[in-house]
Amino acid sequence: MKFLVSRLTIGNVIVGAIVIILVVLPVAGGPREWLLYLLLFFIYLAMANMWNLLAGYSGLISLCQPAFLGIAGYAVAMGTWVSIPWWLGIIGGAIIAGIFAILIAFPVFRLSGIYFAIGTLVVPEALRLLFFLWKPVGGELQGGGAGYIIKGLADVQMSTIYWTALGIAVASAVIMRIILNSRLGLGLAAIRDNERAAASCGVNTFRIKLYPFLISAVITGLAGAVFYVYQGYIEPSSTFNVKWTMIILLATVIGGLRTEGGPIIGTIIVVFLYFLLARYAGYSLLIQGVILIAIMLLSPQGIVGIMRNTRFYRAIFQLANRRLANAKTE
Amino acid sequence: MTDVGTLVSPIIMGILLGGLYALIALGLSMVFGVMRLINLAHGDLVILGSYIAFACMTYLGMDPILSLVIAIPVLFGIGFFIQQFLMSRAFAISAEAPLIIAFGIALIIQNTNQIMWTPLSRGLTTAYSLSSFHLGSYQFPLSYLLNFIAAVVVMLALREFLRRTYLGKAITAASQDRRAAQLMGINTKMIYGFAFAIAMICAAIAGIFLGMTFPFTPTSGIQFLIIAFGVVIIGGLGSIFGTFLGGIILGLVQTLTGFFFGPATQMLFIYVIVLVILAIRPKGLLGR
Amino acid sequence: MLKVRDIDVFHETFQALWNVSLDVRKGEMLALIGANTSGKSTLLDTISGLLHPTKGSIEFEGKDITKLDPYQIVELGITQVPEGRGIFPEMTALDNLVIGSYSRQARAKREQNLKKVYEHFPILEGRKKQTAKTLSGGEQQMLSIGRGLMADPKLMLLDEMSLGLAPIIVNELFKALREIRETGITILFVEQNVRRSIQEADRAYILENGRVTLSGTSAELCEEEQVKKAYFGITTAEICEEK
Ligand SMILES: Nc1ncnc2c1ncn2[C@@H]1O[C@H](COP(=O)(O)OP(=O)(O)O)[C@@H](O)[C@H]1O
Ligand SMILES: [Mg+2]
């Protein structure tokens, strides 16, 4: 009980309240449009959190996130063609994405820094070609002729997909919190600062980098699979596409790389942009690219960085926390 | 049974194609060698070169090779701008900043190409690029020979430039020891800008010869980025001769896998080979 | 010629120099002496424009150079022969020398200065086609000094040129320095060895923990009790006898 109370800072209370509102929103009759944007928010958030774990906290600038979400998506889609229910496909897909992460870890983990980035960039490109050629189970033609309709979704409610995505997003945030407060988080910080020194101190750098890579593959896979269940079909060109990487990167960088709250704020902005730019879809990558570069140059720590430097914000939070602490002691 | 004679054609094609690949990789290698930056936007900048030639051809009726007089200054300017105003600041921020910014540039160029010229596949077709030449009883596209000649010319020119001119020597010096270069009176910030800009001249030339050989779309950049990267890790960074060799090896991989397994799989093979080489020799096959 | 006035210099947040002032007079041979980490290299780098002071000013021939970039300072005629030589390892010895004449005013005098370098260091002429990293330590130091001469400097800064070299070679290098000074180039050299430095120089500054603690002509410093005290094992009598 004491433990619970001590955790009851104003921040946690607000977060708890927001999550509860988000949970009841579909049954409380939230407009379908909202649910849709929130669904995207949850999916992007889970992915952004995982990229932050890799690039921000582990020094792994991974450009192969589309591989994980695509593999999981394809697993769901192909699964439904051999009568595997979609929810089982999501879990199976995430596991396959995890196994795939372990497999590609062998080549790409021999690389560091910039080499790692470009090594991982190759992976989704190769997968796109592979899925154009490879069609193990029968399916209707979609997109580039290599796509799949996801079957058996007729009686799936929007709210079911929404809750699944919400669950994944919350899980991704909780996992981040757990990792950063664990010994793993410490080891990652050591590696990021100096891999060679960490290795000579007896840190198993391969293993310790593999954990975040694996976790990010599984969670990104889950989120991707849910996205494709929502979309109802999958095809290689748009799946193994750098546009996914761009969304994930942008959300993390706008909010603040290497900050826990960054991806949340960044994802809100990305979804909002998506909403605003819907009419200018043809220009969206251009605009996103400009924003990405501007943020990186002007405020490398993103919006969280700006807020941290604003005394006003700091003062308010200190005041609020003190009030709450006083209230508790009384 | 494959007759050995039938292999002659893909082998010669592969070597000639290797020239184009080396040409594409040259700018990437130079930017890495001097600034220690893997320019994720390299492929898209090459494709931008192809599109500039395409525009010159369709609107001005210019020959693609002649359009270099426009493509070279444009890419030179873009390269100088990228280094002076974006990358030089990014390096001071963090290790990942230059990479993330390069990624942003890549998508900006890709999207711009798409807005200006639609997502349709384009090509730089001229009378001579479609014609062919004979070597004994074999016949090859003339464009492949042009690629190879262009690659050799550009590489020799670059080598002489780096060896003989003050600017070239300053670039070499700055890549070996930045601090000492500053003490020699070299304005290294400016020199980095020129190095990037010169790399982009190579990219412009590569883009034009690429456009005469293959069809291209706004999203082709990433494919050629990976090819260029493959060439560079096979050939070792900073070595012009190594780049040439790396290009030829990848060219041969492509034509031979195309020959044995059909053209649909050849790019997949290239990607897999790049990954395998990275796994075996992360710093490059011929690299130090 | 060069006036350094009350400068504070930081490496990020670490203050390496405190209120340092120093004068270099035209035509002299000046020594800057101090133990390891006392801030000697920091001072030279600040003069060269690689670092900038947060307080104070630097003036060269009446011109304020405090905020100039390194390449501008080289153009004005100050060249630095850096600690650890800083040669370009993959370039030939000749190319190393040529790159020394990069700045505008030096290019015109390139052949003339190259001849001078070979006069000071004849051994370099025979090595000119060799890759710089294949030269011996002494030859590399000569190459580094020669490269500095190629910039056609008025003032030459040398940072611990004798580091890691055999005494015979160090003697040779100091002999060359004296000759260079004869040609009208002012010299400011950094050393850790007090005795040798005071012998070679007209005047010297002593730097301790980022502060100038002592300065004067060699003769004055010979008399100074503090030198003896600070740098144990050497008696002033010894130093001054040799002088
Ligand atoms: N790049 C740097 N970053 C932080 N501290 C530095 C750096 N360079 C030198 N220092 C510190 O500044 C002080 C003076 O160093 P330096 O000028 O190199 O001394 P010296 O040349 O007399 O040996 C030392 O305490 C050293 O640790
Ligand atoms: Mg020093």
Side-chain angles (χ1 to χ4, degrees), chain A residues 51 55-56 61 63 104 106-108 110-115 117-123 125-130 133 241-243 245-247 249 253 257-258 281-293 296-298 300, chain B residues 28 32 36-38 40 85-87 89-90 93-97 99-105 107-112 114-115 219 222-223 225-226 229 233 237 264-265 267-268 270-272 274-276 278-284:
Chain A
W51 197 73
I61 305 178
L63 300 178
I104 61 168
F106 286 100
V108 297
R110 302 206 45 194
L111 316 168
S112 58
I114 41 186
Y115 286 95
I118 198 132
T120 53
L121 182 67
V122 181
V123 175
E125 290 301 305
L127 285 178
R128 184 174 61 223
L129 295 182
L130 183 70
L133 298 171
N241 193 311
V242 281
K243 282 176 192 165
T245 313
M246 185 61 167
I247 291 171
L249 235 117
V253 169
L257 192 61
R258 209 170 301 147
Y283 298 81
S284 81
L285 271 183
L286 176 69
I287 297 166
Q288 290 176 33
V290 171
I291 296 174
L292 182 73
I293 292 172
M296 205 65 224
L297 287 179
L298 302 178
Chain B
L28 185 79
F32 184 86
R36 304 278 126 187
L37 166 73
I38 289 190
L40 288 180
F85 295 100
L86 305 177
M87 289 306 170
R89 287 176 207 192
I93 292 172
S94 63
E96 64 267 7
L99 215 60
I100 290 174
I101 285 172
F103 184 77
I105 294 170
L107 294 189
I108 289 173
I109 294 172
Q110 188 177 315
N111 202 188
T112 309
Q114 185 153 333
I115 293 165
T219 53
I222 193 165
Q223 177 188 339
L225 168 69
I226 294 173
F229 186 66
I233 55 166
L237 283 158
T265 55
M267 275 314 292
L268 189 58
I270 286 193
Y271 292 163
V272 170
V274 168
L275 273 179
V276 168
L278 281 175
I280 307 170
R281 290 290 306 268
K283 293 274 149 73

Side-chain angles (χ1 to χ4, degrees), chain C residues 36 40-42 83 159-160 190:
Chain C
N36 218 351
K40 308 179 298 293
S41 300
T42 303
E83 190 174 346
D159 198 350
E160 304 211 30
V190 159

Side-chain angles (χ1 to χ4, degrees), chain C residues 10-47:
Chain C
F10 288 77
H11 291 284
E12 311 280 316
T13 54
F14 177 85
Q15 184 162 7
L17 293 183
W18 310 72
N19 215 30
V20 169
S21 294
L22 174 142
D23 278 287
V24 185
R25 298 174 196 152
K26 199 166 172 55
E28 75 176 341
M29 174 101 106
L30 183 65
L32 178 63
I33 309 166
N36 218 351
T37 77
S38 59
K40 308 179 298 293
S41 300
T42 303
L43 180 53
L44 291 198
D45 285 355
T46 311
I47 297 171

Side-chain angles (χ1 to χ4, degrees), chain B residues 41-193:
Chain B
H42 186 74
D44 298 285
L45 286 157
V46 168
I47 294 296
L48 178 62
S50 313
Y51 272 112
I52 291 173
F54 176 75
C56 291
M57 207 172 80
T58 40
Y59 303 130
L60 306 174
M62 277 167 93
D63 181 89
I65 295 179
L66 194 64
S67 70
L68 279 172
V69 297
I70 293 178
I72 285 178
V74 170
L75 266 106
F76 185 93
I78 292 176
F80 194 79
F81 173 87
I82 290 175
Q83 174 59 34
Q84 286 284 293
F85 295 100
L86 305 177
M87 289 306 170
S88 67
R89 287 176 207 192
F91 277 108
I93 292 172
S94 63
E96 64 267 7
L99 215 60
I100 290 174
I101 285 172
F103 184 77
I105 294 170
L107 294 189
I108 289 173
I109 294 172
Q110 188 177 315
N111 202 188
T112 309
N113 285 341
Q114 185 153 333
I115 293 165
M116 309 250 298
W117 293 290
T118 77
L120 294 178
S121 178
R122 308 286 190 182
L124 304 176
T125 347
T126 61
Y128 56 84
S129 71
L130 290 177
S131 64
S132 51
F133 70 100
H134 295 269
L135 211 72
S137 56
Y138 302 100
Q139 198 178 349
F140 304 101
L142 185 62
S143 58
Y144 277 58
L145 183 64
L146 289 178
N147 289 339
F148 194 81
I149 294 170
V152 172
V153 169
V154 171
M155 283 182 188
L156 289 178
L158 184 64
R159 197 182 71 156
E160 291 309 297
F161 165 76
L162 290 175
R163 281 192 181 172
R164 298 207 186 277
T165 65
Y166 264 110
L167 184 57
K169 282 178 186 171
I171 290 173
T172 313
S175 73
Q176 289 178 20
D177 188 337
R178 176 172 193 182
R179 185 174 178 273
Q182 286 178 299
L183 291 175
M184 293 308 106
I186 296 170
N187 182 350
T188 49
K189 189 166 180 274
M190 192 68 87
I191 285 297
Y192 283 176

Side-chain angles (χ1 to χ4, degrees), chain A:
Chain A
M1 205 52 211
K2 210 175 179 184
F3 170 78
L4 264 182
V5 173
S6 70
R7 285 293 178 98
L8 212 69
T9 62
I10 188 141
N12 286 355
V13 170
I14 293 176
V15 168
I18 290 176
V19 170
I20 290 170
I21 293 172
L22 288 176
V23 170
V24 297
L25 202 62
V27 283
R32 197 183 150 78
E33 284 259 297
W34 290 24
L35 295 188
L36 223 131
Y37 283 115
L38 282 169
L39 175 70
L40 278 186
F41 170 75
F42 301 145
I43 288 166
Y44 292 169
L45 175 60
M47 293 176 181
N49 264 330
M50 289 304 112
W51 197 73
N52 192 25
L53 172 63
L54 293 179
Y57 293 100
S58 318
L60 300 170
I61 305 178
S62 162
L63 300 178
C64 67
Q65 304 305 87
F68 303 140
L69 64 93
I71 281 180
Y74 261 99
V76 177
M78 289 179 179
T80 60
W81 281 84
V82 290
S83 308
I84 296 171
W86 65 272
W87 56 269
L88 197 59
I90 289 179
I91 298 168
I95 293 172
I96 295 172
I99 294 170
F100 182 74
I102 296 173
L103 286 179
I104 61 168
F106 286 100
V108 297
F109 276 19
R110 302 206 45 194
L111 316 168
S112 58
I114 41 186
Y115 286 95
F116 179 84
I118 198 132
T120 53
L121 182 67
V122 181
V123 175
E125 290 301 305
L127 285 178
R128 184 174 61 223
L129 295 182
L130 183 70
F131 278 95
F132 266 120
L133 298 171
W134 187 55
K135 198 145 191 183
V137 294
E140 277 167 42
L141 296 183
Q142 265 290 327
Y148 282 97
I149 293 275
I150 298 173
K151 294 214 283 193
L153 296 178
D155 50 348
V156 179
Q157 298 283 319
M158 173 71 183
S159 51
T160 314
I161 300 175
Y162 172 96
W163 281 321
T164 315
L166 173 60
I168 294 167
V170 171
S172 74
V174 171
I175 286 172
M176 276 300 282
R177 172 64 64 89
I178 294 173
I179 289 177
L180 294 186
N181 292 325
S182 69
R183 281 190 48 192
L184 178 58
L186 221 65
L188 289 175
I191 288 183
R192 200 185 59 233
D193 292 342
N194 190 340
E195 172 147 4
R196 212 171 285 164
S200 65
C201 292
V203 178
N204 182 341
T205 57
F206 181 83
R207 179 102 59 85
I208 224 164
K209 286 195 298 190
L210 187 60
Y211 286 132
F213 200 58
L214 177 61
I215 292 167
S216 94
V218 171
I219 302 277
T220 305
L222 282 174
V226 172
F227 176 83
Y228 285 106
V229 167
Y230 154 72
Q231 186 172 271
Y233 71 91
I234 188 166
E235 58 81 35
S237 296
S238 64
T239 303
F240 301 103
N241 193 311
V242 281
K243 282 176 192 165
W244 274 113
T245 313
M246 185 61 167
I247 291 171
I248 296 168
L249 235 117
L250 192 63
T252 317
V253 169
I254 288 186
L257 192 61
R258 209 170 301 147
T259 62
E260 222 185 318
I264 299 178
I265 296 171
T267 309
I268 292 173
I269 292 173
V270 163
V271 173
F272 196 63
L273 267 177
Y274 184 88
F275 171 74
L276 276 183
L277 297 180
R279 264 193 298 158
Y280 309 100
Y283 298 81
S284 81
L285 271 183
L286 176 69
I287 297 166
Q288 290 176 33
V290 171
I291 296 174
L292 182 73
I293 292 172
I295 292 270
M296 205 65 224
L297 287 179
L298 302 178
S299 173
Q301 289 271 290
I303 291 174
V304 169
I306 296 173
M307 294 202 306
R308 267 193 200 152
N309 295 335
T310 313
R311 225 178 286 151
F312 176 69
Y313 164 88
R314 243 184 285 161
I316 287 191
F317 253 64
Q318 273 168 6
L319 200 72
N321 269 330
R322 211 174 300 139
R323 284 261 170 88
L324 202 76
N326 288 343
K328 262 185 270 170
T329 52
E330 271 163 22

